[in-house]
Amino acid sequence: MVGIMADDEYEQHNDGYDSEEEFIDDSQFEDPEDYVDSVTEDELVGDILEQKPKESDSLDTVIIVDNVPVVGPDRLAKLKSIIRKVFSKFGNVVNEFYPEEDGKTKGFVFLEFSNASDAANAIKTANGYKLDKNHTFVVNSFSDLDKYKDVSEKWTPPEKRPFMDQGNLISWLLEPDSNDQYSVISGGGEKIVILQNSATGATLVKKRENWTETYLMWSPKGTYLATFHRQGIALWGGEEFFRLHRFNHTNVQLIDFSPCERYVVTYAPNNDNTIQDPSAIIIWDIKTGIKKRSFLAGGGHWPVFKWSPDGMYVARAANECLSVYESPGFGLLEKKSIKLPGLKDFSWSPTQNVIAYWVPEDKDAPARVCIMEMPSRKDIRVKNLFNVHDCKMHWQKNGDYLCVRVERYTKSRKGIYFNLELFRMREKNIPVDTLEIKEQITAFEWEPNGSKFCIIHGESPRINASFYQLEERQLGQVTLMKELEKRACNTISWSPTGQFCVLAGLRSLNGVLEFIDTSDVSTMNTGEHYMATDVEWDPTGRYFMTGVSWWAHKVDNGFFIWSFQGKILQRHLIDQFCHFLWRPRPPSLLDEKAIKEVKKDLKKYQKVFEIKDRMSQTKASKELIEKRRALYNEFAEFRSRHQITFQEYKEFRVELREGVDTDSLESAYDEIDEETIEFFVREEIEIIDDKEE
């Protein structure tokens, strides 16, 4: 037992030592004066040092909110409630202090968060928050008080930031065979991969887990990949997908890019409908990261703000007004909104700064579809309509045509029939053709680069798909090319280059596919991807994707890659596959004349492309052969290793079997013959005529 010894016990215990020298000399453990320890404290007790209190710990979690309304005791509770609702979305507010003077608040507030990261997020996001027309918050960290207390009166120019090379943001366009990339979300949303497609398979470009908290989105030209997080969004790009920008907008759920990729719009809905969040929608400058302007959410479908094709203007409809904002300042065009009583919907032309909008009937005034020019605000075409129930607008990709699908009441107003109002935007005075459809129209799609369009009409079980052609030189003539009767389809998907179209029966129609060449409206092939929920063409129009998303259907998840002719090329069955997106391409740098010359000489390049395709297939065959050879060699090595082991245990086996050599008996009865077989796979002979070259 160990105890505490008294002084006399200690003296008796110490009698065996004659002097202090007989004790252990502690000085031999002391380091010499010039000794330098190579092991740092961080390496020895790093976990303990991290817990060491810091002076800034209590300051970095505290923020100061200025420009808060000055109120008395009767309104203080309401002010506190509003402040809590605004700042609680950034994190847990553990303490608050409202300084008072003469019975009223002093116009600023101290708020303390549970951790410094939430406080930093509140400073970035809530600074500039417009509470009302008289109060815009200025938010700073409490630790900044000392920094701004002693500001020198002598101005010194800021240091120039070093240039940060972001790399080649369009590197994927340099792929020799023009193969496209696509993103895939799987694992219920946890796994993200970027793959590069080819005719024979896919190559991994980038893989990352928990890259986003909800979904991904490519920018219109494919330069940026946007990911969603609780504190905002991040934009990634370059060969290695480095993070290029981040924008703080807590609980962001939806975003939209301008067509020029200069601006991005973020939307974070307010779950508490009792107050309007003036920063629910924010427009950001992508290159600088600056918040250009924030807006109330209002109503309507996303995107609430719609961009002009060049990104110069952005517009929204609210309270029977059309508000057009002008970049880069995003102030109202001519400082006032356009009053349009009854305004229902509007859309921009894909190639011109003109807006198409429609307003319903009002007493004796008919419904109107109008084409308005910007920035003059002049209506350049008006079409009056009667007995209108609803209108939907469809622009052709090049802006050559506009179709307004009109649902109209019959004279008795008990039934509905459909009209297609077809605006020829490139012709003088914008003439309009009218096509009447007696049956219900469930889908409409323009050919991207042509004058054809397809509609799906009728009701189950008699659903038809009809292809029409607008004759360019014969005004007023809309020709029915062909009607395909009794088709199991509810989706029209045109190739981005035109001519080829897929009629798909998604979800409840079991994924039936029909690949059509619209040059003569003939069926090239049919197929099926059971319970398919999504379809999408690649940007070049060479490949077609069908997928079954785990977000919509919990079994048979994965995606297939098809050729444009309807031949299935790849099957990818992925557990909890969620989302697939092709990476967009920017517009071609070739003008129309150059494109026509390429198409004219297409036969000249055809042989080169065919040889290249065969070489790629041969390469794939060689890779498969090499893979099989490696597997065979691995098995041969495994077999040889175990044959040696088998021979090593022969004496032990003979001993166990009382001297009987069963190996020799088996070999006497069973003779094993090994035979090598070679077979011919394929031979291709191509005769190249030198004269043609």
Side-chain angles (χ1 to χ4, degrees):
M1 184 175 67
V2 179
I4 300 176
M5 294 184 293
D7 291 343
D8 55 345
E9 292 176 326
Y10 175 77
E11 289 176 359
Q12 294 175 5
H13 180 75
N14 198 32
D15 285 345
Y17 299 98
D18 296 333
S19 63
E20 293 182 358
E21 283 75 8
E22 294 187 11
F23 286 100
I24 297 175
D25 186 6
D26 293 338
S27 62
Q28 62 181 310
F29 293 100
E30 295 180 359
D31 297 325
E33 294 181 0
D34 58 346
Y35 175 76
V36 178
D37 194 349
S38 60
V39 182
T40 64
E41 291 184 348
D42 289 336
E43 294 176 323
L44 289 175
V45 289
D47 55 339
I48 299 176
L49 290 176
E50 287 182 358
Q51 302 174 15
K52 181 180 178 181
K54 302 175 184 177
E55 184 179 353
S56 61
D57 284 349
S58 60
L59 303 180
D60 292 340
T61 58
V62 181
I63 65 173
I64 305 173
V65 185
D66 208 348
N67 287 345
V68 175
V70 177
V71 298
D74 56 331
R75 298 177 59 193
L76 182 59
K78 183 177 180 180
L79 176 63
K80 288 184 176 181
S81 175
I82 293 174
I83 295 296
R84 291 189 194 109
K85 288 177 181 178
V86 172
F87 286 90
S88 61
K89 62 183 179 182
F90 303 113
N92 183 26
V93 179
V94 296
N95 199 4
E96 58 185 9
F97 176 63
Y98 291 75
E100 296 183 5
E101 185 177 15
D102 299 331
K104 292 186 176 181
T105 60
K106 299 181 69 173
F108 57 91
V109 179
F110 296 90
L111 300 176
E112 182 181 1
F113 287 86
S114 58
N115 59 70
S117 61
D118 292 341
N121 186 29
I123 294 170
K124 290 180 180 179
T125 308
N127 188 39
Y129 182 97
K130 191 174 182 180
L131 184 65
D132 53 44
K133 63 180 182 179
N134 297 320
H135 299 90
T136 301
F137 291 161
V138 177
V139 186
N140 290 287
S141 172
F142 186 83
S143 58
D144 289 339
L145 282 177
D146 293 335
K147 183 172 68 174
Y148 295 119
K149 186 168 59 176
D150 299 322
V151 178
S152 174
E153 296 182 0
K154 184 179 179 181
W155 180 80
T156 56
E159 294 183 5
K160 186 181 293 186
R161 292 183 180 180
F163 172 73
M164 300 295 292
D165 186 7
Q166 294 184 340
N168 186 0
L169 299 183
I170 57 172
S171 58
W172 87 98
L173 298 175
L174 302 177
E175 207 280 327
D177 296 326
S178 298
N179 288 320
D180 287 293
Q181 294 181 0
Y182 57 85
S183 61
V184 173
I185 303 177
S186 61
E190 296 181 356
K191 299 178 181 179
I192 311 294
V193 291
I194 310 296
L195 300 169
Q196 182 170 281
N197 184 53
S198 68
T200 55
T203 305
L204 180 65
V205 177
K206 196 70 178 178
K207 180 180 179 181
R208 190 172 295 175
E209 293 188 1
N210 299 317
W211 201 350
T212 183
E213 295 181 12
T214 53
Y215 64 102
L216 301 173
M217 183 174 178
W218 293 100
S219 61
K221 298 180 181 179
T223 307
Y224 305 106
L225 177 67
T227 58
F228 292 73
H229 311 274
R230 188 184 71 85
Q231 294 184 347
I233 66 167
L235 300 186
W236 312 76
E239 296 183 19
E240 296 297 326
F241 285 93
F242 294 113
R243 191 180 68 188
L244 304 174
H245 308 283
R246 59 181 177 181
F247 304 95
N248 286 72
H249 198 178
T250 304
N251 297 326
V252 62
Q253 292 188 10
L254 298 169
I255 69 170
D256 183 43
F257 287 91
S258 65
C260 59
E261 294 189 340
R262 179 68 190 273
Y263 307 102
V264 62
V265 186
T266 59
Y267 170 55
N270 183 15
N271 296 327
D272 187 353
N273 295 323
T274 59
I275 60 172
Q276 290 286 339
D277 186 354
S279 295
I281 297 177
I282 302 176
I283 299 178
W284 307 85
D285 188 303
I286 290 179
K287 291 185 177 180
T288 63
I290 295 175
K291 182 194 300 183
K292 303 301 292 186
R293 186 166 177 179
S294 57
F295 299 87
L296 291 167
H301 299 286
W302 187 258
V304 175
F305 285 88
K306 299 179 182 180
W307 292 91
S308 64
D310 57 5
M312 288 185 61
Y313 306 101
V314 65
R316 74 179 296 182
N319 301 322
E320 298 188 333
C321 289
L322 182 63
S323 301
V324 182
Y325 301 90
E326 189 175 14
S327 65
F330 293 97
L332 267 174
L333 183 64
E334 297 183 7
K335 298 183 179 180
K336 60 181 179 180
S337 298
I338 306 169
K339 293 184 179 180
L340 299 171
L343 175 65
K344 285 290 187 179
D345 193 15
F346 77 97
S347 62
W348 288 90
S349 164
T351 55
Q352 304 176 72
N353 284 340
V354 298
I355 290 176
Y357 68 92
W358 81 278
V359 293
E361 298 173 78
D362 183 19
K363 297 180 181 178
D364 296 332
R368 304 189 319 277
V369 175
C370 305
I371 310 294
M372 180 189 295
E373 187 181 51
M374 285 294 165
S376 67
R377 306 188 179 195
K378 179 183 177 182
D379 286 339
I380 58 177
R381 185 66 166 91
V382 178
K383 174 71 175 180
N384 293 330
L385 302 169
F386 297 91
N387 300 323
V388 175
H389 174 256
D390 192 16
C391 289
K392 289 182 173 58
M393 291 174 283
H394 306 272
W395 284 96
Q396 188 246 19
K397 178 183 175 183
N398 295 334
D400 298 335
Y401 307 101
L402 167 66
C403 173
V404 180
R405 184 174 60 178
V406 186
E407 296 183 32
R408 308 180 75 167
Y409 293 109
T410 58
K411 290 183 179 180
S412 63
R413 301 188 73 84
K414 293 182 179 180
I416 289 179
Y417 67 100
F418 289 80
N419 271 12
L420 299 181
E421 304 292 338
L422 305 166
F423 292 73
R424 300 173 181 264
M425 298 299 299
R426 303 296 183 185
E427 297 184 23
K428 187 177 180 180
N429 298 327
I430 312 180
V432 182
D433 301 324
T434 301
L435 180 65
E436 185 173 317
I437 306 294
K438 298 295 185 181
E439 298 176 309
Q440 181 180 1
I441 298 176
T442 56
F444 176 100
E445 289 294 335
W446 283 103
E447 180 186 22
N449 296 313
S451 56
K452 305 186 191 81
F453 63 87
C454 177
I455 61 172
I456 296 176
H457 54 97
E459 296 182 358
S460 181
R462 189 179 179 85
I463 298 175
N464 304 327
S466 297
F467 290 86
Y468 289 86
Q469 168 83 51
L470 268 71
E471 303 295 341
E472 297 181 3
R473 297 183 180 179
Q474 299 180 22
L475 182 62
Q477 185 173 354
V478 182
T479 305
L480 174 62
M481 301 175 66
K482 193 171 184 179
E483 181 176 355
L484 306 177
E485 298 181 349
K486 295 184 179 180
R487 292 307 199 262
C489 61
N490 54 17
T491 302
I492 306 165
S493 184
W494 283 92
S495 166
T497 57
Q499 183 177 344
F500 303 105
C501 179
V502 176
L503 299 176
L506 301 183
R507 299 177 184 267
S508 60
L509 295 181
N510 297 330
V512 177
L513 307 170
E514 185 173 1
F515 293 79
I516 296 172
D517 183 352
T518 62
S519 61
D520 55 0
V521 195
S522 61
T523 300
M524 298 183 293
N525 207 346
T526 59
E528 181 180 350
H529 188 174
Y530 183 68
M531 293 305 295
T533 58
D534 304 282
V535 296
E536 188 178 0
W537 285 90
D538 81 311
T540 63
R542 292 179 294 174
Y543 303 102
F544 185 73
M545 184 282 303
T546 60
V548 180
S549 173
W550 182 77
W551 289 337
H553 196 64
K554 299 303 180 185
V555 296
D556 299 328
N557 304 130
F559 64 92
F560 296 172
I561 303 292
W562 309 69
S563 72
F564 73 96
Q565 296 170 320
K567 179 182 177 182
I568 191 164
L569 303 175
Q570 304 169 35
R571 287 183 174 90
H572 299 274
L573 301 178
I574 303 175
D575 184 38
Q576 294 185 331
F577 160 78
C578 298
H579 198 222
F580 180 107
L581 273 181
W582 291 103
R583 187 174 191 174
R585 284 177 170 265
S588 173
L589 299 177
L590 300 177
D591 56 18
E592 292 185 9
K593 183 179 178 182
I595 293 174
K596 287 181 180 179
E597 290 180 358
V598 171
K599 289 182 177 179
K600 183 180 177 181
D601 298 334
L602 196 58
K603 291 184 179 179
K604 176 182 175 182
Y605 306 114
Q606 184 174 353
K607 290 185 178 180
V608 178
F609 293 149
E610 288 176 352
I611 293 171
K612 201 167 187 178
D613 288 342
R614 282 195 292 269
M615 290 178 64
S616 65
Q617 292 173 3
T618 303
K619 180 181 178 182
S621 300
K622 288 180 179 178
E623 290 176 353
L624 182 61
I625 291 171
E626 290 176 359
K627 182 179 179 180
R628 290 176 177 175
R629 183 179 289 114
L631 291 173
Y632 174 79
N633 292 337
E634 182 181 352
F635 172 75
E637 182 183 351
F638 171 84
R639 182 184 180 190
S640 175
R641 188 169 62 251
H642 283 76
Q643 282 178 341
I644 295 172
T645 306
F646 181 77
Q647 293 298 327
E648 290 176 350
Y649 281 88
K650 182 174 181 178
E651 294 182 2
F652 184 62
R653 288 197 305 275
V654 172
E655 183 180 347
L656 289 174
R657 294 165 184 171
E658 299 179 352
V660 178
D661 185 1
T662 56
D663 296 348
S664 59
L665 292 175
E666 290 176 2
S667 60
Y669 291 103
D670 301 324
E671 295 183 358
I672 300 174
D673 295 330
E674 293 188 1
E675 182 179 359
T676 303
I677 300 175
E678 295 183 1
F679 57 92
F680 181 75
V681 179
R682 184 177 58 187
E683 180 180 359
E684 292 184 0
I685 300 175
E686 181 178 357
I687 300 175
I688 300 176
D689 191 354
D690 296 337
K691 294 180 181 180
E692 290 183 4
E693 296 181 356

